[in-house]
Coordinates of all heavy atoms in Angstrom, one line a residue:
M336 N -28.1 -144.3 20.2 CA -28.0 -145.8 19.8 C -27.2 -145.9 18.5 O -27.4 -145.1 17.6 CB -29.3 -146.2 19.6 CG -30.3 -146.4 20.8 SD -29.8 -147.4 22.1 CE -30.5 -149.0 21.5
F337 N -26.4 -146.8 18.4 CA -25.5 -147.2 17.2 C -26.3 -148.1 16.3 O -26.0 -148.0 15.1 CB -24.1 -147.7 17.7 CG -23.3 -146.7 18.3 CD1 -23.4 -146.4 19.6 CD2 -22.4 -146.1 17.5 CE1 -22.6 -145.4 20.2 CE2 -21.5 -145.1 18.0 CZ -21.5 -144.9 19.4
F338 N -27.1 -149.0 16.7 CA -27.7 -150.0 16.0 C -29.2 -149.8 16.0 O -29.8 -149.9 17.0 CB -27.3 -151.5 16.3 CG -25.8 -151.7 16.2 CD1 -25.1 -151.7 17.2 CD2 -25.3 -152.1 14.9 CE1 -23.6 -151.9 17.2 CE2 -23.8 -152.2 14.8 CZ -23.1 -152.2 16.0
T339 N -29.8 -149.4 15.0 CA -31.2 -149.1 15.0 C -32.0 -150.1 14.1 O -33.2 -150.3 14.0 CB -31.7 -147.7 14.6 OG1 -31.0 -147.5 13.3 CG2 -31.1 -146.7 15.5
N340 N -31.1 -151.1 13.3 CA -31.9 -151.9 12.5 C -32.0 -153.2 13.0 O -32.4 -154.2 12.4 CB -31.0 -152.0 11.3 CG -30.9 -150.8 10.5 OD1 -31.9 -150.0 10.5 ND2 -29.8 -150.5 9.8
G341 N -31.8 -153.4 14.4 CA -31.9 -154.7 15.0 C -30.7 -155.5 14.8 O -29.7 -155.2 14.1
C342 N -30.8 -156.8 15.3 CA -29.7 -157.7 15.2 C -29.3 -158.2 13.7 O -30.3 -158.7 13.1 CB -29.9 -158.9 16.2 SG -28.7 -160.2 16.0
P343 N -28.1 -158.2 13.2 CA -27.8 -158.6 12.1 C -27.9 -160.1 11.7 O -28.1 -160.7 10.7 CB -26.3 -158.2 11.7 CG -26.1 -157.1 12.7 CD -27.0 -157.4 13.8
M344 N -28.0 -160.9 13.0 CA -28.0 -162.3 12.8 C -29.4 -162.7 12.8 O -29.7 -163.6 12.0 CB -27.4 -163.0 14.2 CG -26.0 -162.5 14.3 SD -24.8 -163.3 13.1 CE -24.8 -164.9 13.8
C345 N -30.3 -162.2 13.6 CA -31.6 -162.7 13.7 C -32.8 -161.7 13.6 O -33.9 -162.0 13.6 CB -31.9 -163.5 15.1 SG -32.0 -162.4 16.4
G346 N -32.4 -160.3 13.5 CA -33.4 -159.3 13.4 C -33.9 -158.9 14.8 O -34.9 -158.1 14.9
G347 N -33.5 -159.5 15.9 CA -34.0 -159.3 17.1 C -33.7 -157.8 17.7 O -32.8 -157.1 17.1
Q348 N -34.2 -157.5 18.9 CA -34.0 -156.3 19.5 C -32.5 -156.3 20.2 O -32.2 -157.3 20.8 CB -35.1 -156.0 20.4 CG -35.1 -154.5 21.0 CD -35.7 -153.5 19.9 OE1 -36.6 -154.0 19.3 NE2 -35.1 -152.4 19.9
Q349 N -31.9 -155.2 20.0 CA -30.5 -155.0 20.6 C -30.7 -154.1 21.7 O -31.2 -153.0 21.6 CB -29.5 -154.6 19.7 CG -29.2 -155.7 18.7 CD -28.1 -155.1 17.6 OE1 -28.4 -154.1 16.9 NE2 -27.1 -155.8 17.5
S350 N -29.9 -154.3 22.9 CA -30.0 -153.3 24.0 C -28.5 -153.3 24.6 O -27.7 -154.2 24.5 CB -31.0 -153.6 25.1 OG -30.8 -155.0 25.4
Q351 N -28.3 -152.1 25.3 CA -27.0 -151.9 25.8 C -26.7 -152.9 27.0 O -27.5 -153.1 27.8 CB -26.9 -150.5 26.4 CG -25.5 -150.1 27.0 CD -24.7 -149.7 25.7 OE1 -25.1 -148.8 25.0 NE2 -23.5 -150.2 25.5
G352 N -25.5 -153.6 26.8 CA -25.2 -154.5 27.9 C -23.7 -154.8 27.8 O -22.9 -153.9 27.4
T353 N -23.3 -155.8 28.3 CA -21.7 -156.2 28.4 C -21.6 -157.6 27.9 O -22.5 -158.5 28.0 CB -21.2 -156.0 29.7 OG1 -21.9 -157.0 30.7 CG2 -21.2 -154.5 30.3
T354 N -20.5 -157.9 27.5 CA -20.2 -159.2 27.1 C -18.8 -159.5 27.4 O -17.9 -158.6 28.1 CB -20.2 -159.3 25.5 OG1 -20.0 -160.7 25.2 CG2 -19.2 -158.5 24.9
T355 N -18.3 -160.9 27.3 CA -16.9 -161.3 27.7 C -16.3 -161.6 26.4 O -16.9 -162.5 25.6 CB -17.0 -162.5 28.7 OG1 -17.7 -162.1 29.9 CG2 -15.5 -162.9 29.0
L356 N -15.1 -161.2 26.3 CA -14.3 -161.5 25.0 C -13.1 -162.1 25.3 O -12.4 -161.9 26.3 CB -13.9 -160.1 24.4 CG -14.9 -159.4 23.4 CD1 -14.2 -158.1 22.8 CD2 -15.3 -160.2 22.3
T357 N -12.8 -163.1 24.4 CA -11.5 -163.9 24.6 C -10.6 -163.6 23.3 O -11.1 -163.7 22.2 CB -11.8 -165.3 24.7 OG1 -12.8 -165.5 25.7 CG2 -10.5 -166.1 25.1
V358 N -9.5 -163.1 23.6 CA -8.5 -162.9 22.6 C -7.3 -163.7 22.5 O -6.6 -163.7 23.6 CB -8.0 -161.3 22.6 CG1 -7.2 -161.0 21.3 CG2 -9.2 -160.3 22.5
D359 N -7.0 -164.5 21.6 CA -5.9 -165.4 21.6 C -4.8 -164.8 20.8 O -4.8 -164.6 19.6 CB -6.4 -166.8 20.8 CG -5.3 -167.9 21.1 OD1 -4.2 -167.5 21.5 OD2 -5.7 -169.0 20.9
K360 N -3.7 -164.5 21.7 CA -2.5 -163.8 21.1 C -1.4 -164.8 20.7 O -0.3 -164.5 20.9 CB -2.1 -162.7 22.1 CG -3.1 -161.5 22.3 CD -3.2 -160.7 21.1 CE -2.1 -159.6 21.0 NZ -2.2 -158.7 19.8
G361 N -1.8 -166.1 20.8 CA -0.8 -167.2 20.7 C -0.1 -167.6 22.0 O -0.7 -168.5 22.6
S362 N 0.9 -166.8 22.5 CA 1.5 -167.3 23.7 C 0.6 -166.8 24.9 O 0.7 -167.2 26.0 CB 2.9 -166.6 24.0 OG 2.7 -165.3 23.8
L363 N -0.3 -165.9 24.6 CA -1.1 -165.2 25.6 C -2.7 -165.3 25.3 O -3.1 -165.1 24.2 CB -0.8 -163.8 25.9 CG -1.7 -163.1 26.8 CD1 -1.5 -163.5 28.2 CD2 -1.3 -161.5 26.8
L364 N -3.4 -165.7 26.3 CA -4.9 -165.7 26.1 C -5.4 -164.6 27.1 O -5.2 -164.6 28.2 CB -5.5 -167.1 26.5 CG -7.0 -167.3 26.2 CD1 -7.2 -167.4 24.7 CD2 -7.6 -168.4 27.0
V365 N -6.0 -163.6 26.3 CA -6.6 -162.4 27.2 C -8.1 -162.6 27.2 O -8.8 -162.7 26.2 CB -6.2 -161.1 26.5 CG1 -6.6 -160.0 27.3 CG2 -4.8 -161.0 26.2
V366 N -8.6 -162.5 28.5 CA -10.0 -162.6 28.6 C -10.5 -161.2 29.2 O -9.9 -160.8 30.2 CB -10.5 -163.7 29.6 CG1 -11.9 -163.7 29.8 CG2 -10.0 -165.1 29.1
V367 N -11.3 -160.6 28.4 CA -11.7 -159.3 28.9 C -13.2 -159.3 29.2 O -14.2 -159.7 28.4 CB -11.6 -158.2 27.8 CG1 -11.8 -156.8 28.4 CG2 -10.2 -158.4 27.2
R368 N -13.6 -159.0 30.6 CA -15.0 -159.2 31.0 C -15.5 -157.7 31.1 O -14.9 -156.8 31.1 CB -14.8 -159.8 32.5 CG -14.3 -161.2 32.5 CD -14.4 -161.7 33.9 NE -15.8 -162.1 34.1 CZ -16.3 -162.4 35.4 NH1 -15.5 -162.6 36.3 NH2 -17.6 -162.7 35.4
N369 N -16.8 -157.7 31.0 CA -17.6 -156.5 31.2 C -17.3 -155.5 30.0 O -17.1 -154.4 30.2 CB -17.4 -155.8 32.6 CG -18.2 -156.6 33.6 OD1 -19.3 -156.9 33.5 ND2 -17.4 -157.0 34.7
V370 N -17.2 -156.1 28.7 CA -16.9 -155.2 27.6 C -18.2 -154.7 27.2 O -19.2 -155.4 27.0 CB -16.4 -156.0 26.5 CG1 -16.2 -155.2 25.3 CG2 -15.1 -156.7 27.0
P371 N -18.3 -153.3 27.2 CA -19.6 -152.6 26.7 C -20.0 -153.1 25.4 O -19.1 -153.1 24.4 CB -19.3 -151.2 26.7 CG -18.1 -151.0 27.6 CD -17.3 -152.2 27.4
A372 N -21.2 -153.6 25.2 CA -21.7 -154.0 23.7 C -23.1 -153.8 23.7 O -23.8 -153.7 24.7 CB -21.2 -155.5 23.7
M373 N -23.6 -153.9 22.4 CA -25.0 -154.0 22.2 C -25.3 -155.6 22.1 O -24.7 -156.3 21.3 CB -25.4 -153.4 20.8 CG -25.1 -152.0 20.8 SD -26.0 -151.1 22.0 CE -27.7 -151.2 21.5
V374 N -26.2 -156.0 22.9 CA -26.5 -157.4 23.1 C -27.9 -157.7 22.6 O -28.8 -157.0 22.9 CB -26.4 -157.9 24.5 CG1 -26.6 -159.5 24.7 CG2 -24.9 -157.5 25.1
C375 N -28.1 -158.7 21.7 CA -29.4 -159.0 21.1 C -30.2 -159.8 22.2 O -29.7 -160.7 22.8 CB -29.1 -159.9 19.8 SG -30.7 -160.5 19.3
D376 N -31.5 -159.2 22.3 CA -32.3 -159.9 23.3 C -32.7 -161.3 22.9 O -33.2 -162.1 23.7 CB -33.6 -159.1 23.5 CG -33.2 -157.6 24.2 OD1 -32.2 -157.6 24.8 OD2 -34.2 -156.8 24.0
Q377 N -32.7 -161.6 21.5 CA -33.3 -162.8 21.0 C -32.2 -163.9 21.1 O -32.4 -165.0 21.5 CB -33.8 -162.6 19.6 CG -34.9 -163.5 19.4 CD -35.7 -162.8 18.2 OE1 -36.4 -162.0 18.3 NE2 -35.5 -163.4 16.9
C378 N -31.0 -163.6 20.3 CA -30.0 -164.7 20.2 C -28.8 -164.5 21.1 O -27.9 -165.4 21.2 CB -29.6 -164.8 18.7 SG -28.6 -163.4 18.1
G379 N -28.7 -163.4 21.7 CA -27.6 -163.1 22.7 C -26.3 -162.7 22.1 O -25.3 -162.6 22.8
E380 N -26.4 -162.6 20.8 CA -25.0 -162.1 20.1 C -24.7 -160.8 20.5 O -25.6 -159.8 20.7 CB -25.4 -162.1 18.5 CG -24.1 -162.0 17.7 CD -23.3 -163.1 17.7 OE1 -23.7 -164.3 17.7 OE2 -22.0 -162.9 17.7
A381 N -23.5 -160.5 20.7 CA -23.0 -159.2 21.1 C -22.2 -158.4 20.1 O -21.4 -159.1 19.3 CB -22.1 -159.3 22.5
W382 N -22.4 -157.1 20.0 CA -21.8 -156.3 19.0 C -21.1 -155.2 19.6 O -21.7 -154.4 20.4 CB -22.9 -155.8 18.0 CG -23.7 -156.9 17.5 CD1 -24.9 -157.4 18.0 CD2 -23.5 -157.8 16.4 NE1 -25.4 -158.5 17.4 CE2 -24.5 -158.7 16.3 CE3 -22.4 -157.8 15.5 CZ2 -24.6 -159.7 15.3 CZ3 -22.5 -158.7 14.4 CH2 -23.5 -159.6 14.3
I383 N -19.9 -155.2 19.4 CA -19.0 -154.1 20.0 C -18.8 -152.9 19.1 O -18.7 -153.0 17.9 CB -17.6 -154.7 20.3 CG1 -17.8 -155.8 21.3 CG2 -16.5 -153.7 20.9 CD1 -16.7 -156.9 21.4
M384 N -19.0 -151.8 19.7 CA -18.7 -150.6 19.0 C -17.3 -150.3 18.6 O -16.4 -150.7 19.3 CB -19.3 -149.4 19.7 CG -20.8 -149.3 19.8 SD -21.3 -148.5 21.3 CE -21.8 -149.9 22.3
D385 N -17.0 -149.5 17.5 CA -15.7 -149.2 17.0 C -14.9 -148.6 18.1 O -13.7 -149.0 18.1 CB -15.8 -148.3 15.7 CG -16.3 -149.0 14.6 OD1 -16.4 -150.3 14.6 OD2 -16.6 -148.3 13.5
S386 N -15.3 -147.7 18.7 CA -14.5 -147.0 19.9 C -14.2 -148.0 20.9 O -13.0 -147.9 21.3 CB -15.3 -145.8 20.4 OG -16.6 -146.4 20.9
T387 N -15.0 -148.9 21.3 CA -14.8 -149.9 22.3 C -13.6 -150.9 21.6 O -12.7 -151.3 22.4 CB -16.0 -150.7 22.7 OG1 -17.1 -149.8 23.1 CG2 -15.7 -151.7 23.7
A388 N -13.8 -151.3 20.4 CA -12.8 -152.2 19.7 C -11.5 -151.5 19.8 O -10.4 -152.3 20.1 CB -13.3 -152.4 18.4
E389 N -11.4 -150.3 19.5 CA -10.0 -149.5 19.7 C -9.5 -149.6 21.0 O -8.4 -149.9 21.2 CB -10.3 -148.1 19.3 CG -10.2 -147.9 17.7 CD -10.7 -146.5 17.2 OE1 -10.3 -145.5 18.0 OE2 -11.4 -146.4 16.1
D390 N -10.4 -149.4 22.1 CA -9.9 -149.3 23.6 C -9.4 -150.8 23.8 O -8.3 -150.9 24.4 CB -11.0 -149.1 24.4 CG -11.5 -147.6 24.4 OD1 -10.7 -146.8 23.9 OD2 -12.5 -147.2 24.9
L391 N -10.0 -151.8 23.3 CA -9.7 -153.2 23.6 C -8.4 -153.5 22.9 O -7.6 -154.2 23.6 CB -10.8 -154.2 22.9 CG -12.0 -154.4 23.8 CD1 -13.0 -155.0 23.0 CD2 -11.5 -155.3 25.0
E392 N -8.1 -153.0 21.8 CA -6.8 -153.3 21.1 C -5.7 -152.8 21.9 O -4.7 -153.6 22.2 CB -6.9 -152.5 19.7 CG -6.2 -153.3 18.6 CD -6.4 -152.8 17.2 OE1 -7.7 -152.9 16.8 OE2 -5.7 -152.1 16.8
G393 N -5.8 -151.6 22.5 CA -4.7 -151.0 23.3 C -4.7 -151.8 24.6 O -3.5 -152.2 25.1
I394 N -5.7 -152.3 25.3 CA -5.7 -152.9 26.4 C -5.0 -154.4 26.3 O -4.2 -154.9 27.1 CB -7.2 -153.2 27.0 CG1 -7.8 -151.9 27.5 CG2 -7.2 -154.2 28.1 CD1 -9.2 -151.9 27.8
V395 N -5.3 -155.0 25.1 CA -4.9 -156.4 24.9 C -3.4 -156.2 24.5 O -2.6 -157.2 25.0 CB -5.7 -157.0 23.6 CG1 -5.0 -158.2 23.2 CG2 -7.1 -157.3 24.1
S396 N -3.0 -155.2 23.7 CA -1.5 -155.2 23.4 C -0.8 -154.9 24.7 O 0.4 -155.3 24.8 CB -1.1 -154.0 22.5 OG -2.2 -153.8 21.6
E397 N -1.2 -154.1 25.6 CA -0.5 -153.7 26.8 C -0.4 -155.0 27.7 O 0.6 -155.4 28.2 CB -1.3 -152.8 27.7 CG -0.6 -152.1 28.7 CD -1.3 -151.0 29.4 OE1 -1.9 -150.1 28.8 OE2 -1.4 -151.0 30.6
A398 N -1.6 -155.8 27.7 CA -1.5 -157.0 28.5 C -0.4 -158.1 27.8 O 0.2 -158.8 28.6 CB -2.8 -157.7 28.5
A399 N -0.4 -158.0 26.5 CA 0.4 -158.9 25.9 C 1.9 -158.6 26.1 O 2.8 -159.5 26.1 CB 0.1 -158.9 24.4
A400 N 2.2 -157.4 26.4 CA 3.6 -156.9 26.6 C 4.0 -157.2 28.0 O 5.2 -157.5 28.3 CB 3.7 -155.4 26.4
K401 N 3.1 -157.4 28.9 CA 3.4 -157.6 30.3 C 3.1 -159.0 30.9 O 3.7 -159.5 31.9 CB 2.5 -156.7 31.2 CG 2.8 -155.2 31.1 CD 1.8 -154.4 32.0 CE 2.0 -153.0 31.8 NZ 1.0 -152.1 32.6
S402 N 2.2 -159.7 30.2 CA 1.8 -161.0 30.7 C 2.2 -162.2 29.8 O 2.5 -162.0 28.6 CB 0.4 -161.0 31.0 OG 0.0 -159.8 31.5
S403 N 2.1 -163.4 30.3 CA 2.1 -164.5 29.6 C 1.1 -165.5 30.0 O 0.5 -165.3 31.0 CB 3.6 -165.2 29.7 OG 3.8 -165.5 31.0
Q404 N 0.8 -166.4 29.1 CA -0.2 -167.4 29.4 C -1.7 -166.9 29.3 O -2.3 -166.8 28.3 CB 0.1 -168.3 30.6 CG 1.4 -168.8 30.5 CD 1.5 -170.2 31.3 OE1 0.6 -170.8 31.8 NE2 2.7 -170.6 31.3
V405 N -2.2 -166.6 30.5 CA -3.6 -166.2 30.7 C -3.8 -164.8 31.4 O -3.1 -164.6 32.5 CB -4.4 -167.3 31.3 CG1 -5.9 -166.7 31.4 CG2 -4.4 -168.6 30.6
K406 N -4.4 -163.9 30.9 CA -4.6 -162.5 31.5 C -6.0 -162.3 31.6 O -6.7 -162.3 30.4 CB -3.8 -161.5 30.8 CG -4.1 -160.1 31.3 CD -3.4 -159.8 32.6 CE -3.5 -158.3 32.9 NZ -3.1 -158.2 34.3
V407 N -6.7 -162.0 32.6 CA -8.2 -161.8 32.7 C -8.2 -160.3 33.1 O -7.6 -159.7 34.1 CB -8.8 -162.5 33.8 CG1 -10.3 -162.1 33.9 CG2 -8.8 -164.0 33.5
I408 N -8.9 -159.5 32.4 CA -9.1 -158.1 32.5 C -10.7 -157.8 32.6 O -11.5 -158.4 32.0 CB -8.6 -157.3 31.2 CG1 -7.1 -157.5 31.2 CG2 -8.9 -155.9 31.4 CD1 -6.6 -157.1 29.7
D409 N -10.9 -156.9 33.7 CA -12.3 -156.5 33.8 C -12.5 -155.0 33.4 O -11.8 -154.2 34.0 CB -12.7 -156.8 35.2 CG -14.2 -156.6 35.4 OD1 -14.9 -155.9 34.6 OD2 -14.7 -157.3 36.4
M410 N -13.2 -154.7 32.4 CA -13.3 -153.4 31.9 C -14.2 -152.5 32.8 O -14.1 -151.4 32.8 CB -13.9 -153.3 30.5 CG -12.8 -153.4 29.3 SD -13.4 -153.3 27.8 CE -13.0 -151.6 27.3
A411 N -14.9 -153.1 33.7 CA -15.6 -152.4 34.6 C -15.0 -151.9 35.8 O -15.3 -151.1 36.5 CB -17.0 -153.2 35.0
A412 N -13.7 -152.6 36.0 CA -12.9 -152.3 37.2 C -12.2 -151.0 37.1 O -11.8 -150.5 35.9 CB -11.9 -153.4 37.5
Ligands
ZN643 ZN1 -30.0 -161.8 17.4

């Protein structure tokens, strides 16, 4: 477990789950579904791990190079 102190927002319990992220790159809007994250059971706030954030950065830059307008990516796929 990466977070053992509970949710920084509300102090609630966090558990492994997924979230949907939207990244606005200006000319391109990237929507990434099923991003692995720690999700707060209480407020629903999602926290992404550093390793996941790095993966996302690569995925988003690749999408930005190939697409325009809107790109939807499913990390579970
Ligand atoms: Zn919370």
Side-chain angles (χ1 to χ4, degrees):
M336 297 292 277
F337 285 82
F338 300 98
T339 51
N340 299 327
C342 172
M344 299 292 280
C345 72
Q348 193 76 36
Q349 291 173 308
S350 52
Q351 187 82 53
T353 58
T354 189
T355 300
L356 274 184
T357 306
V358 183
D359 194 344
K360 299 285 281 183
S362 58
L363 175 69
L364 187 72
V365 185
V366 180
V367 190
R368 303 187 68 186
N369 291 309
V370 179
M373 297 301 294
V374 182
C375 176
D376 292 340
Q377 206 159 290
C378 70
E380 190 71 36
W382 307 89
I383 293 157
M384 283 155 260
D385 286 348
S386 57
T387 305
E389 281 170 27
D390 288 349
L391 272 170
E392 219 168 283
I394 289 167
V395 169
S396 331
E397 198 179 312
K401 289 180 186 167
S402 318
S403 58
Q404 303 213 3
V405 180
K406 172 78 178 171
V407 180
I408 296 163
D409 193 334
M410 272 187 102

